[in-house]
Amino acid sequence: MQSTPPARVIQVAVPRPLHSVYDYMVPDELDVPEPGARVEVPFGRSRTIGICTSNQVTSPHAKLKAITALLDTTPLVNAELMELAHWMTRYYHYPLGEVLSTILPVAARRGQAAELKPADCWQTTANAPAERARKQTELYAYIQAHPGISGEAVVEAGFTRALLRKLINQGHIEPGIPPLPTPQTGPAPNAEQQHALDAISARGDGFTAFLLDGITGSGKTEVYLQAMAPIIASGRQALVLVPEIGLTPQTVGRFQARFPRTGVLHSDLTDVARYQTWLRCQNGELDVLVGTRSAVFTPFKSLGIVVVDEEHDSSYKQQEGLRYSARDIAVKRAHELKVPLVLGSATPALESLHNARQGRYQHLHLTERAGGAALPSYHVIDMRGETQTDGISNPLVHVIKRHLSAGNQVLVFLNRRGFAPTLLCSACGWQAQCSDCDAKLTMHTRPPQLVCHHCGLRFQTPATCDACGQAALMPVGIGTQRSEAGLAKLFPEVPIYRIDRDTTRSNTALEARFDTINQGASCIMIGTQMLAKGHHFPDVTLVVVLNADAGFLSPDFRAPERTAQIIVQVAGRAGRAEKPGEVWIQSFQPDSPALTQLISEGYAGFAEKALAERQLAGLPPWNPMAMLRAEATAGEDAVRFLNTCKQQLTAARITSDPAAGGAGPSVSVFGPVAAPLARQANRTRYQLMVLADNRQHLHHALDHLQPPRSPGNLRWSIDVDPYDGL
């Protein structure tokens, strides 16, 4: 190590849970990197890839380590994303190096060069193979007849990759440009859609946030498409966020039909494919990007509009590491880039409705289903004293029979996987418990096993009770496997498709299952919320909600909102075409105020009351919240850590009291208390809730937090705007 003049000193953010950036010297044989470029640096006893954050260091340390490699000659993280990273560090109170690591695709974090690879598409050169090479000549002729054909299509046509490589190596073919289909034109918008389009286009250049509040089936996607069209025609780009990879096949198909240069980003893609799409957006090769949560960090050459579909969805909130909200990041990016933002949902988040009330968002409404389809009718079955078969009541059996007899399809919703949530001994009351968590084991039958849905541990299903030894074990409660078995007994002649994470683990499998269903044959679908989001099933005329009670009874203040949203979303799958739809809800509390209000006044009425209740309680969205969580093998370590944090947060509030000449922020700290699931994976979890009267005061308190040194086994986090209210 040696001293070095400031001109060749840079600051680097490394992907470590440390809030500092570090000074490094640049050897003479390397160029001085620009901010946003990746560099390889020694850190501790290892090497890591960090991001240069500044090359204007005025007071470097006297002795510095040198960077070992410069990976980018131009910034991979552009100025806009670098500024976003600094904002996220401040807002989420998370280390800059970790934020930048989150922004980058995995392949970029590993040091892969930022080089666009030629597409796997091919065209012939003038150098034709010799006629005696019959196979080569056949493939050459085939590619000549299909210029721009993909390698995958070549293989599907009966040729081999080895033969394709031979033509490449001998110069008979070269990379080509894939042919783009002729863009389709969309239908004429109805009056409400046109009003929304006029409002979006009237704002011209600059940032405006629109909340497109449209009932299920009202044509929100068509509004997105037509709002984007003039922006893309002007040479700019569009970002469309969707909550689940299960939505991308349908959504991407619609966008590609209208805008052929549409790319996709989701977790089913390889790391290399994601990186290539990221780079193609950056250099302007793509007009539209459709992606899930992390796509919000994609760089664009000229972004002109941002769309967040199903903006209320929990999938937009990252629950580990950097706990960011992709919806909120989308709002921030659109604001900084001065481009319009469209947030769409049939059940907007209470935060978004609150922003619309406050005038931050322009509230647009779509109250009619596109094409004139009628809204489904709602019916509630009182389950008290009702006879049932595997969770399906007798009245419901008759309703299902009626719809199947008419040749229609039925969707049964139950947001619980497995056969039964509990295995109980009827002789002594013993229940199968996870050895590492404060949770019951869920019974599965295919394959037969007991599974912890919190830590993933699996156990063989016992034949006798662990406590008393008797063979008196019985499953208690209903999961999708059990309901599927019950439906199969009740309707043996009808195809039944179960759709949950146990049966459908890939995007391709899910798409194939939906293709089968959409052929129109009479069938029953049973599944979790994977069925509730954005799918179009034109032949579904009956939607069944097997259990509407759990979410309305939860102590989590956000649970009723989530429950109402999922009921409305799944109900929206019924009667989306010319066939009228019905929604039947089973409930052991049919007089529940939340359920009755949701049915009688719709989601808007439910949300109005929920917002009023939140205001009275001083909860979000009226008051911002943060949650400090700590977990350790010994629970007392987590409690001690959080108590120290509580003292610091309280001291920050007192220091800023008006009597001391401060601004007097109002911050309330509650806890520490045990997490709802106190022990998970042999670690005990506690949490601290922080509420403030405004965001400035919340961040003021969190800025003063200097967590103490903690035992090596303790992990902790700050979650600003937590999705879970407990």
Side-chain angles (χ1 to χ4, degrees), residues 548-613:
D549 299 326
F552 290 130
L553 298 174
S554 171
D556 182 351
F557 73 88
R558 294 192 188 275
E561 175 190 2
R562 294 198 295 265
T563 303
Q565 287 167 342
I566 199 70
I567 288 175
V568 172
Q569 291 286 337
V570 74
R573 303 313 109 200
R576 291 172 68 92
E578 67 275 3
K579 301 176 182 179
E582 295 181 2
V583 179
W584 287 74
I585 301 172
Q586 294 188 157
S587 173
F588 287 94
Q589 291 195 324
D591 301 324
S592 159
L595 179 60
T596 54
Q597 184 168 41
L598 180 65
I599 292 173
S600 62
E601 300 182 33
Y603 182 77
F606 168 87
E608 187 77 20
K609 184 171 185 294
L611 277 169
E613 290 172 347

Side-chain angles (χ1 to χ4, degrees), residues 92-144:
Y92 292 109
H93 302 269
Y94 206 73
L96 178 61
E98 298 272 69
V99 172
L100 287 165
S101 181
T102 301
I103 286 176
L104 289 176
V106 171
R109 295 176 217 162
R110 293 173 178 165
Q112 189 175 106
E115 296 174 350
L116 269 172
K117 297 181 179 179
D120 183 24
C121 298
W122 305 98
Q123 64 187 18
T124 57
T125 66
N127 177 24
E131 290 186 10
R132 65 178 179 273
R134 184 174 57 84
K135 283 290 186 182
Q136 292 186 29
T137 303
E138 287 178 6
L139 179 52
Y140 181 87
Y142 188 80
I143 294 175
Q144 195 170 44

Side-chain angles (χ1 to χ4, degrees), residues 350-351 551-563 606 610 613-614 617-625 627 689 691 721-726:
L350 296 188
E351 284 81 2
F552 290 130
L553 298 174
S554 171
D556 182 351
F557 73 88
R558 294 192 188 275
E561 175 190 2
R562 294 198 295 265
T563 303
F606 168 87
E613 290 172 347
R614 297 268 191 95
L619 292 169
W622 297 95
N623 294 80
M625 175 189 286
M627 197 81 76
M689 180 188 291
L691 282 167
D721 304 327
Y723 178 73
D724 295 317
L726 277 180

Side-chain angles (χ1 to χ4, degrees), residues 527-688:
T528 58
Q529 60 183 339
M530 290 179 70
L531 280 174
K533 300 176 180 180
H535 304 297
H536 180 64
F537 302 117
D539 293 294
V540 168
T541 57
L542 172 64
V543 164
V544 173
V545 179
L546 286 186
N547 181 6
D549 299 326
F552 290 130
L553 298 174
S554 171
D556 182 351
F557 73 88
R558 294 192 188 275
E561 175 190 2
R562 294 198 295 265
T563 303
Q565 287 167 342
I566 199 70
I567 288 175
V568 172
Q569 291 286 337
V570 74
R573 303 313 109 200
R576 291 172 68 92
E578 67 275 3
K579 301 176 182 179
E582 295 181 2
V583 179
W584 287 74
I585 301 172
Q586 294 188 157
S587 173
F588 287 94
Q589 291 195 324
D591 301 324
S592 159
L595 179 60
T596 54
Q597 184 168 41
L598 180 65
I599 292 173
S600 62
E601 300 182 33
Y603 182 77
F606 168 87
E608 187 77 20
K609 184 171 185 294
L611 277 169
E613 290 172 347
R614 297 268 191 95
Q615 185 176 19
L616 285 173
L619 292 169
W622 297 95
N623 294 80
M625 175 189 286
M627 197 81 76
L628 271 67
R629 297 185 174 94
E631 59 177 63
T633 50
E636 56 268 24
D637 289 339
V639 171
R640 190 178 305 112
F641 176 87
L642 289 177
N643 272 323
T644 303
C645 292
K646 183 176 183 177
Q647 293 169 6
Q648 293 179 2
L649 292 167
T650 304
R653 179 189 62 194
I654 293 172
T655 301
S656 298
D657 189 81
S666 173
V667 177
S668 301
V669 186
F670 303 94
V673 297
L677 186 68
R679 189 171 64 98
Q680 182 174 341
N682 265 334
R683 299 178 66 81
T684 305
R685 310 186 306 161
Y686 282 82
Q687 54 196 36
L688 201 65

